Amino acid sequence: MNHGRPVSRRQESAYRTLLTGFTPRMGNFRPAHMRIGSLEDSVLNGHTTRSSTLIQLFGRNDDLTIVRSFLDRAAVSGAALSVVGDAGIGKTMLLRAAVEVASAAGVRVLRAAGVEFEAGIGFSGLNQALLPAFDEFARRLGAAHCDALSVALGLRTGPAPDRMLVANATLALLRSIAADQAVLVVVDDAQWIDRASAAVLGFVARRLDGSRIGFLAAARSDIEGFFEHSGLPEHELQPLDDEAARRLLDHRFPTLPGMVRRRVLAEAQGNPLALVELPTALNFPHCDALRSLPAVLPIGRRLQALFAARIAELAEPTRQLLLLAALDGTGDLHVVHGDGPGAMEHLTAAERAGLVRVDGRGGRLAFRHPLTRSAIVEMSSAAERRRAHLVLAQLWTNRPERRAWHLGEATEKPDEPVARLLQEAAHRSLDRGDATGAISALVRAAHLSPRGADRSRRLAQAAFIGADVTGEMGTASQLLVDAQAAGLDQGGSLYAAATTAYLLVNGDTDIDTAHALLVGAIENRSKGGPADDAELVEALWALSLLCWLGGTPEHWAPYHAAVARLTPSAPALMTLQTRTFLDPVRATASVLDELDVALARLHVEADPATIVRTTRCAVHLDRLGPCRASSWRVLRDGREGGAVMKALVSIMHLCAGSFTAGRWDEITELADEALELCDNQRYRHFLWQFHYYKALVAAVRGDQDANLAWTDEIIRWASPRGARGPLHFVHHARGLAALGRGDFDGAYRHTTAISPAGSFASYAPHALWVMADLVEAALRTGRRDAAAAHVAAMHEANVAGLSPRLALLVGSATALAADDDRATELFEQALALPGIDRWPFDLARTQLAFGEHLRRNRAAAAARDHLIAAMETFRRLGAHPWSRRAENGLRVAGQSRAGRGEGAPDSLTPQEHEIAMLAASGLSNKQIAQQLFLSHRTVGAHLYRAFPKLGISSRAGLRDALVATPDTRRGPDG
């Protein structure tokens, strides 16, 4: 116990680290005012070890709180608690945690566990619990009680004692021990405790008032035993929520392939035992992520033993009916009704056995335990499974995809018609965004292909989807090897060539080699090609990535030539990318209209590839707002093991939108997540993208060392591979950092390295993002001609017509470069543009430039208004170099105090302000997270930083703290 000693920072840090395995909601410390103490006390005082059960529990904070409360009550006046739940749900682990805490606090623990084969041996359970105290019987009990208890436990011979006498003797013994030392009686698997012990323990559990005895039992909710729970406080243990299940799986199997991980999470349905046993049953880590995943996962002996007895007792027709339902997986009662008029009778038998629930009115069947399906399949023979799949294929004639799956599982020998059906099913899966299902269908189709050429072609396509969509680079490589072993013609398979190119770029090979390999394969295919040739089109999309990385017109030339040869014309989205992403400065009004129409369709689009390709077209034209919800959708799917590569691209797009919108904290969080994902998936050729966004945030916040470190990482990856495209990103981030620290010569060098002053180079879309930076750097270094030339190029290209943000930048740059007599009017026109408050950093920089212009022209009062507005925005964003510049301008303009104190609402970042306003309106962290597409952890972190800025210590003070400031800072959608 703590005994009032202060908690050191080191202890507090250790405590918080330990409890990250529970849930992020823990934070307040409870005093050690009870004899047992609390879970926190035990952790803080070093009573747990690295192997502690406490740090192996995930998502059980609420359950642990209930146990803690029970232990506290028991330590003072006695208490009982019965924990019930499904098999494998974690009851035993919860009991172990309680035992650890109680033992560490000096409580005496007496334990027993029901054993199924001992259920017929009288007092076997009581013997387990009380045997450790046998030497104390004579000292603590009267002769009658001592004799009765000793005989009942088989420790002495004599006539059979009266049951009530045994019960009273047990209670007397426990009360005597508790007079010296608090006692905790723990009974696990109470459903298998023998009848005699159950009666005695139940008697004791109901008579604990004032005793300092705790009685804690755990039992399965699906099995009736002798132990009577009625009248005892009961807590039902629920499955883990999605987040806790993911954390447990990641903790135990950190390198589990994403697709396997997703299946395990789906099959386990939050059951902790299933989460730790299913990967083992799959023979992880030797399982192949794509080829070793049957329709129903195997469960292994340990899990099978939980269900084997009840399944084996069923009649053969009932088991066959359940096998149909298990392999079908839809829960549709029509599946089992097709088995004849006796189907419902057999289902009733399964329901009585506690295996299924049947909702006749809703037409649904559900297995009571998530692992029952697997156990039923595991206990069937291969022939039985094939027959069941054939029956299901005949039942699902109206669902081609489902029918193809069942035919594939029912077919033993190569069969081209079935393989073709599976290939068609794979294409349908891919169209609706299920890349995992598509790969599995293609792999099964390949195994059923009679011809080696068909087998290798299907394996090559599966490998390409693995590399391009799911991010399973290791598996893609293995599938490509298998395709080659099946007789793949490397030169004739564009899927194989594209996969090889991805693998080369992801390794140490230079961009030019991968580019040449893929260009050669595309050109060898034919001198032209139909635009509906999916293999050719996907190869061209892969080639566009290599061209982008290469970053020169020479890389793009063969791509454009191949696209031009498509007949009758290239896919619309491919053409749109060429006219927007590659050369946005030359996008016409009709192209912008076409882009807006495509973006308006994203909310109903299911295909991750279409979502990220459409969003890519919007990046440099400031139209990422309409893409935000769909990008988050792709990211959430990727977090669950879906389209991982597309999820990474979506993070790039979210970061791009968040940078211009001032959501810089979000960029840091997303980039960190992406870097971890790249590392886990071994997707190394994407790492530099997230180094770039971290470098950008470092630049605007004045962290010069971090900016240099992150951009150095990009150069280290790009230079040896001849990747020139990423160097534009380096110049952008370093140029912005140079501006912030006042190194205008350096800023000019970096911005003109992307595109020379007075021009907007093709294939250099970053030129749009640095155009105002270039003009400012040119003017600050005396290069007025270069600045004027670049402003003229902006107007000649009508850059202002591309988006409101670019119009603001053009207006600001034009005003900066203008003569003093025109500059004021031009600044005012720029600041009058509609909707520019969506871009806080760019708006504040324009206000800063205008304020500095007015100050130089001795309009001090007007200058102060703009400088104060700029300074407050910079402070909220954390743009420290620019904030200091505005403060200096204010001092020169005669402002003695530069802005408001830290306690004002204006000291919040835009995202902190938005979250604080929503919290003040009464929304919970979870509701706010859903509304803003954030995690509830992120919401909590923002509130934690906002409270001291507002001068409050709790949520209750938010409304009063914010009331003085109108809600004008909602984050933009851009």
Side-chain angles (χ1 to χ4, degrees), residues 97-375:
V99 167
E100 280 189 16
V101 173
S103 298
V107 175
R108 183 167 183 179
V109 180
L110 300 173
R111 283 182 275 192
V115 182
E116 192 171 6
F117 65 82
E118 290 186 359
I121 303 175
F123 291 116
S124 59
L126 195 62
N127 179 284
Q128 289 184 59
L130 300 184
L131 188 60
F134 172 64
D135 292 340
E136 303 171 52
F137 283 10
R139 177 167 58 87
R140 295 187 180 275
L141 297 174
H145 280 165
C146 181
D147 290 344
L149 200 53
S150 298
V151 171
L153 300 185
L155 303 173
R156 187 180 300 169
T157 59
D162 178 75
R163 291 278 178 89
M164 183 57 70
L165 187 60
V166 174
N168 280 313
T170 301
L171 183 58
L173 175 67
L174 294 174
R175 283 184 175 274
S176 176
I177 295 173
D180 300 331
Q181 179 184 19
V183 178
L184 177 64
V185 179
V186 178
V187 181
D188 199 2
D189 284 325
Q191 74 277 357
W192 286 321
I193 288 288
D194 63 278
R195 185 188 297 272
S197 296
V200 171
L201 292 170
F203 173 88
V204 170
R206 290 170 175 81
R207 290 164 176 80
L208 299 178
D209 287 348
S211 66
R212 296 180 66 225
I213 302 169
F215 180 87
L216 181 61
R220 283 173 55 172
S221 52
D222 58 343
I223 294 180
E224 291 294 331
F226 297 123
F227 185 76
E228 181 56 57
H229 300 266
S230 62
L232 296 180
E234 185 174 285
H235 174 60
E236 184 173 1
L237 209 55
Q238 300 295 330
L240 298 179
D241 61 28
D242 293 343
E243 182 182 354
R246 287 193 295 269
R247 287 191 289 123
L248 172 58
L249 194 61
D250 291 345
H251 173 73
R252 293 296 296 268
F253 304 99
T255 59
L256 192 68
M259 295 168 63
V260 181
R261 178 178 180 271
R262 192 177 191 184
R263 276 293 304 280
V264 169
L265 287 168
E267 295 282 340
Q269 295 181 29
N271 186 283
L273 184 60
L275 288 166
V276 299
E277 288 292 325
L278 286 175
T280 303
L282 284 167
N283 195 27
F284 174 77
H286 304 293
C287 64
D288 185 291
L290 305 181
R291 294 179 295 172
S292 299
L293 296 181
V296 180
L297 296 184
I299 60 175
R301 293 181 180 178
R302 185 179 176 194
L303 291 174
Q304 191 182 120
L306 297 175
F307 308 96
R310 278 182 291 161
I311 294 172
E313 290 171 357
L314 297 174
E316 179 67 18
T318 304
R319 290 205 305 273
Q320 294 305 316
L321 201 67
L322 288 179
L323 181 60
L324 273 180
L327 292 175
D328 174 62
T330 66
D332 193 327
L333 277 178
H334 291 95
V335 170
V336 293
H337 281 162
D339 201 46
M344 286 308 297
E345 181 181 338
H346 297 311
L347 277 182
T348 301
E351 199 170 16
R352 281 197 300 266
L355 296 172
V356 297
R357 289 189 299 268
V358 179
D359 179 4
R361 287 182 298 179
R364 311 299 299 170
L365 176 148
F367 289 94
R368 286 187 177 273
H369 194 280
L371 302 177
T372 307
R373 285 181 67 221
S374 295

Side-chain angles (χ1 to χ4, degrees), residues 894-968:
Q895 178 85 358
S896 60
R897 293 184 62 194
R900 308 184 187 198
E902 277 297 298
D906 298 272
S907 65
L908 303 181
T909 68
Q911 192 154 51
E912 285 170 358
H913 190 278
E914 183 173 25
I915 289 171
M917 291 295 294
L918 292 172
S921 72
L923 296 183
S924 68
N925 286 8
K926 185 175 182 181
Q927 290 169 324
I928 296 170
Q930 291 171 343
Q931 185 165 327
L932 300 181
F933 300 100
L934 301 171
S935 73
H936 64 82
R937 282 201 195 104
T938 299
V939 171
H942 280 301
L943 287 174
Y944 180 81
R945 290 192 292 268
F947 285 177
K949 291 183 181 181
L950 294 170
I952 60 176
S953 59
S954 72
R955 210 181 189 95
L958 277 173
R959 186 181 299 275
D960 291 338
L962 294 167
V963 72
T965 303
D967 186 12
T968 58

Side-chain angles (χ1 to χ4, degrees), residues 692-714:
Y692 160 68
Y693 283 110
K694 291 182 79 72
L696 271 188
V697 173
V700 291
R701 288 188 163 163
D703 190 342
Q704 301 294 333
D705 291 340
N707 173 270
L708 189 63
W710 289 121
T711 48
D712 278 346
E713 288 290 334
I714 300 174

Side-chain angles (χ1 to χ4, degrees), residues 519-574:
V519 167
I522 291 171
E523 292 180 347
N524 286 340
R525 178 67 167 258
S526 67
K527 294 302 180 183
D532 60 355
D533 182 343
E535 188 174 4
L536 176 58
V537 169
E538 288 300 327
L540 287 170
W541 282 114
L543 180 59
S544 73
L545 171 64
L546 298 179
C547 296
W548 179 60
L549 290 171
T552 69
E554 291 73 25
H555 285 98
W556 284 106
Y559 168 82
H560 290 307
V563 170
R565 291 195 298 268
L566 293 174
T567 57
S569 61
L573 187 53
M574 189 171 283

